[in-house]
Amino acid sequence: MLSLSLAPLVPIPVLWALGGLAAILAVVAFLARGPVALLRVLVLALVLLALANPSLVQEEREPVKDIVAVVVDRSGSQGLGDRPAMTEKVKAELQRRLGTLTEIEPRFVEVPEAGGDEGTRLFTALSSALADVPPDRLAGVVMLTDGVVHDIPASLAAASFKAPLHVLVTGRPDERDRQIRLIEAPRFGIVGRDQTIRAEVMERGGTGSAVVTVRRDGEEVVRQSVRTGQPFNLTLRVEHGGPNVVEIEAEALPGELTTANNRAVLPIEGIREKLRVLLVSGEPHAGERTWRNLLKSDANVDLVHFTILRPPEKQDGTPISELSLIAFPTRELFQQKIKDFDLIVFDRYANQSVLPSSYFDNIVRYVREGGALLIAAGPEFASAASLARTRLAAILPGEPNGRVVERAYKAALTNSGQRHPVTRDLPGSEASPPAWGDWLRLIGAEVRPGVTPILSGADSLPLLALSREEKGRVALLLSDHAWLWARGYEGGGPHLDLLRRLGHWLMKEPALEEEALRAATTGHGREVRVERQTMGDTAEPVTVTAPSGKTRTLTLNPDKPGLFAAAFKAEELGLHTLRSGNLVAFVSVGPANPRELVDVFSDTERLRPLAEATGGSVRRLAEAGGGIAIPRLQLTRSGRLSGSDWIGFRPSDSAVVRGVSVYPLGLGLAALAALAAAVLAMWLAEGRRGRV
């Protein structure tokens, strides 16, 4: 390829100025001397041409293939229905047909779902894939997608390419789907109070009504039929502190795209407005204030404390107005307001007929209906005035055997205690013997069948035993010497950890459940850590159900006594359900409601304005009979780039320059000879005219 190139020896403005000056001089010379002045014009023109430094450039070019980019959408919504099979079939056919176009180099770009909640970003991936391609080499772009794209440029000017865009849309026009949308979803609630959730079942191609099932912590609580497309209210009680996992699920439509969006999960964090604790102390002792100080140190605890100093047998006729003691409001506390308390603590309380038998019946009923009871026993527990000789005996974890051990011993974790969340990992328990101070008294007792102590004392006698009574819980601490740890006796011990955990277990803190399944993201991409707390020797495998319905079985490995764990990498974003036996847990990987599952229907209109602006087209691949219509591919230099059954690409005739030869015209001996000849001709002509 031959072309003319200029490389001026002086700046362009100077060259133009000299050209203008030469033109003026040429006009003046012509007016003054007539046609003979044309030789002067020729000399000036040769000088200007030399300054312009013209060259002949010969390029050796090799034609190169044009690029056609095929963007394959692999996002979450592309995995619904028959879209994956349709995508694979069309991709394979495009590879075959593009291979027959010898002037085309196909470049396939696989686009997975973006991280976080960014959705499908085909244009971002296309821009990155074509970063090394000159714009004029791009003959066209084909997008194989369901049309749900979240980074569509606002206009053709904002797009990173100018080539024709052809969109091949997967999916079918008669798609059906149903999903749950949360309208009002409280994140926090006060324990014991009702919370209202407002939701809506949305559908396309449905029946107009749906059965909604509501579960709380995996247990079904409500099942009702609702109208689709209309908001409805659900009223649920917050049962306990910590996460109360509410699951709302709409029944599936026959043949719907996905059931992953038929369910919405809402964790409601249960907050106790005030923990109301009733502490009843019997005979005053050195450790009495340990319980009071522990409970009063928590601003969230509303403590009601009574100490029984005046039993009925000590009535001496002193006028009430002269007594400094107040009457024990037994009827108000144990009959009228007993259900207002979250925990009742008897600290070295002896049955001195202050409480009638009917009140102990009330306490038993209170526990069985969900209350909590803690007995901190002293020597009185082994006497005739023991609470074990009242109607509380029906719910106590053990009964005294009459023995009181009064010698130094170290509290120790039993085998069950090493697994139980209340006592596992107590500071100092890792040593043998435990690295904490001695206790000096222990009340002998026999635990009930099915109750296993978690702490033992002297002669391996039980020290702390826990039991469940229907909906409630009971703890029996068989010593009144926990205060020795609080006072630092012989180095003290973890009294705060032990007593706080004990109180939280009694009030059903989820983190201290003996049998629990928990899952949480670790913060490293999509990695999920699964923990199974159990009192057993082994843990059942965990079944993990992904948002798409795919399942996998996870084998747990021992992590600590009573704690089994494992980790897995989630392949999908969204809510994953984990089940182990009758336990269920949920973990949300990425956003709780991913964009890919909010809008799942294939769409031919979102990309149409941009595609038509480039001269391209948008078409659905699915045919009415269930087949797939793949358009023909061809190169075209005309203005039209698509038809009813074909799509076209615009060739660019691009080439790679392999070599360049430059031949200067204004330099060298030839140019000098031409200039000398012109000057000589001008001198001869001017001299002859002068002689005439």
Side-chain angles (χ1 to χ4, degrees):
M1 181 177 179
L2 194 63
S3 61
L4 180 65
S5 174
L6 297 178
L9 301 177
V10 296
I12 295 291
V14 174
L15 187 62
W16 280 106
L18 292 175
L21 180 60
I24 295 172
L25 293 177
V27 172
V28 172
F30 186 80
L31 293 175
R33 294 181 175 270
V36 72
L38 292 177
L39 291 173
R40 294 191 176 191
V41 174
L42 177 61
V43 172
L44 290 175
L46 289 174
V47 172
L48 289 175
L49 185 62
L51 292 175
N53 191 22
S55 301
L56 288 176
V57 178
Q58 184 176 11
E59 296 180 349
E60 295 180 10
R61 295 192 172 200
E62 179 182 337
V64 295
K65 294 182 178 181
D66 293 322
I67 301 293
V68 170
V70 180
V71 182
V72 183
D73 183 358
R74 300 290 189 184
S75 61
S77 60
Q78 269 286 79
L80 305 178
D82 61 352
R83 296 177 194 175
M86 188 180 296
T87 299
E88 289 300 329
K89 182 175 181 180
V90 174
K91 177 188 173 183
E93 184 62 19
L94 289 177
Q95 287 177 322
R96 187 188 68 80
R97 295 186 184 184
L98 286 170
T100 63
L101 301 178
T102 57
E103 301 176 24
I104 292 295
E105 177 187 333
R107 182 171 295 190
F108 285 80
V109 183
E110 300 276 343
V111 185
E113 187 171 335
D117 196 23
E118 296 181 2
T120 305
R121 305 188 66 81
L122 301 187
F123 289 90
T124 302
L126 175 65
S127 180
S128 299
L130 298 180
D132 61 335
V133 178
D136 59 350
R137 280 193 62 194
L138 186 63
V141 176
V142 178
M143 287 189 172
L144 182 54
T145 175
D146 57 9
V148 183
V149 182
H150 300 104
D151 65 341
I152 302 174
S155 64
L156 180 59
S160 60
F161 63 93
K162 307 303 177 185
L165 169 63
H166 300 286
V167 182
L168 306 181
V169 179
T170 59
R172 302 187 180 277
D174 57 347
E175 293 168 336
R176 315 174 72 196
D177 191 64
R178 176 180 283 167
Q179 62 179 278
I180 284 282
R181 181 173 72 94
L182 295 177
I183 301 174
E184 296 178 9
R187 297 295 180 182
F188 301 91
I190 297 175
V191 175
R193 296 190 182 180
D194 292 338
Q195 288 290 326
T196 299
I197 301 171
R198 190 169 176 82
E200 179 183 356
V201 178
M202 301 185 300
E203 67 178 5
R204 189 167 91 177
T207 61
S209 65
V211 175
V212 172
T213 303
V214 183
R215 301 179 183 88
R216 181 180 53 220
D217 296 330
E219 180 180 351
E220 183 177 318
V221 292
V222 176
R223 180 186 289 266
Q224 66 184 56
S225 179
V226 301
R227 297 291 300 173
T228 59
Q230 297 180 7
F232 62 92
N233 294 334
L234 295 169
T235 302
L236 296 174
R237 176 157 296 186
V238 180
E239 291 288 342
H240 55 76
N244 293 252
V245 181
V246 178
E247 179 187 2
I248 307 172
E249 183 175 9
E251 65 176 342
L253 280 171
E256 70 172 303
L257 276 175
T258 177
T259 59
N261 53 7
N262 289 37
R263 180 178 57 189
V265 174
L266 174 65
I268 301 178
E269 190 72 19
I271 301 173
R272 297 184 183 271
E273 186 176 20
K274 276 287 187 178
L275 296 176
R276 299 208 64 195
V277 179
L278 173 61
L279 173 61
V280 182
S281 299
E283 178 181 340
H285 65 103
E288 180 180 355
R289 297 199 63 83
T290 299
W291 287 104
R292 180 179 179 85
N293 292 341
L294 174 68
L295 295 169
K296 292 293 288 184
S297 66
D298 190 342
N300 198 40
V301 172
D302 187 2
L303 177 65
V304 178
H305 184 196
F306 285 93
T307 302
I308 307 301
L309 297 177
R310 188 179 175 85
E313 67 269 14
K314 291 187 178 181
Q315 299 291 341
D316 55 7
T318 304
I320 294 178
S321 60
E322 297 181 12
L323 291 175
S324 61
L325 305 178
I326 64 173
F328 188 21
T330 55
R331 184 173 183 276
E332 181 181 5
L333 293 176
F334 293 101
Q335 183 167 326
Q336 297 177 347
K337 296 185 177 181
I338 187 172
K339 292 185 178 180
D340 293 341
F341 292 102
D342 298 292
L343 173 64
I344 297 175
V345 181
F346 284 109
D347 177 30
R348 287 202 59 175
Y349 179 83
N351 182 23
Q352 299 173 335
S353 301
V354 174
L355 297 179
S357 297
S358 62
Y359 288 0
F360 287 116
D361 288 336
N362 290 343
I363 296 174
V364 171
R365 188 180 306 110
Y366 156 80
V367 170
R368 287 175 173 168
E369 291 178 355
L373 175 66
L374 169 62
I375 307 294
E380 77 290 334
F381 192 69
S383 69
S386 172
L387 287 175
R389 297 181 180 273
T390 69
R391 294 183 180 179
L392 290 182
I395 60 172
L396 294 182
E399 58 179 324
N401 57 14
R403 182 182 177 187
V404 178
V405 179
E406 295 195 347
R407 59 181 172 85
Y409 66 91
K410 287 189 182 294
L413 303 186
T414 65
N415 288 335
S416 295
Q418 293 175 359
R419 300 174 183 172
H420 203 288
V422 170
T423 48
R424 183 179 58 224
D425 294 334
L426 276 177
S429 64
E430 66 279 359
S432 182
W436 49 51
D438 292 341
W439 290 10
L440 304 177
R441 182 154 53 207
L442 177 66
I443 313 303
E446 301 293 334
V447 297
R448 293 188 316 179
V451 175
T452 304
I454 59 174
L455 281 180
S456 63
D459 301 329
S460 298
L461 291 172
L463 176 58
L464 176 60
L466 309 178
S467 67
R468 296 170 181 260
E469 291 296 325
E470 296 184 9
K471 295 182 180 180
R473 303 184 181 191
V474 183
L476 177 60
L477 181 60
L478 291 162
S479 177
D480 58 342
H481 279 187
W483 64 274
L484 292 175
W485 278 0
R487 300 283 181 86
Y489 176 71
E490 291 189 351
H495 73 288
L496 287 177
D497 296 274
L498 175 62
L499 299 182
R500 280 178 178 166
R501 289 187 197 176
L502 183 58
H504 289 161
W505 177 85
L506 286 165
M507 288 182 282
K508 304 176 184 177
E509 179 67 34
L512 294 169
E513 291 293 315
E514 300 98 315
E515 301 293 330
L517 178 64
R518 294 181 285 268
T521 54
T522 63
H524 301 288
R526 299 185 180 185
E527 186 174 342
V528 177
R529 176 176 170 83
V530 181
E531 292 184 345
R532 172 72 164 91
Q533 164 65 42
T534 180
M535 297 298 291
D537 295 329
T538 60
E540 296 180 10
V542 175
T543 301
V544 182
T545 305
S548 64
K550 296 179 181 178
T551 61
R552 70 164 75 176
T553 300
L554 202 62
T555 301
L556 304 180
N557 301 312
D559 187 47
K560 296 178 181 179
L563 189 66
F564 295 79
F568 70 93
K569 186 174 182 180
E571 298 177 355
E572 304 175 26
L573 296 179
L575 188 71
H576 292 64
T577 304
L578 298 91
R579 297 185 185 275
S580 178
N582 61 348
L583 297 176
V584 61
F586 303 93
V587 61
S588 181
V589 179
N593 297 297
R595 298 174 72 177
E596 289 293 319
L597 294 180
V598 171
D599 187 1
V600 297
F601 297 111
S602 58
D603 188 357
T604 59
E605 300 305 315
R606 297 190 189 188
L607 288 163
R608 189 177 298 279
L610 181 63
E612 292 180 350
T614 64
S617 62
V618 178
R619 67 190 68 218
R620 189 180 289 277
L621 292 166
E623 293 182 314
I628 300 176
I630 304 175
R632 293 182 294 106
L633 312 180
Q634 64 184 54
L635 295 176
T636 177
R637 300 179 186 275
S638 63
R640 190 179 178 192
L641 290 167
S642 66
S644 60
D645 64 344
W646 65 276
I647 57 177
F649 307 116
R650 184 183 295 119
S652 64
D653 298 326
S654 299
V656 175
V657 178
R658 296 300 184 187
V660 178
S661 300
V662 180
Y663 303 99
L665 300 178
L667 298 176
L669 293 177
L672 181 60
L675 181 60
V679 172
L680 180 61
M682 179 189 69
W683 177 70
L684 291 175
E686 291 282 348
R688 182 180 301 171
R689 185 175 184 275
R691 288 195 297 269
V692 175

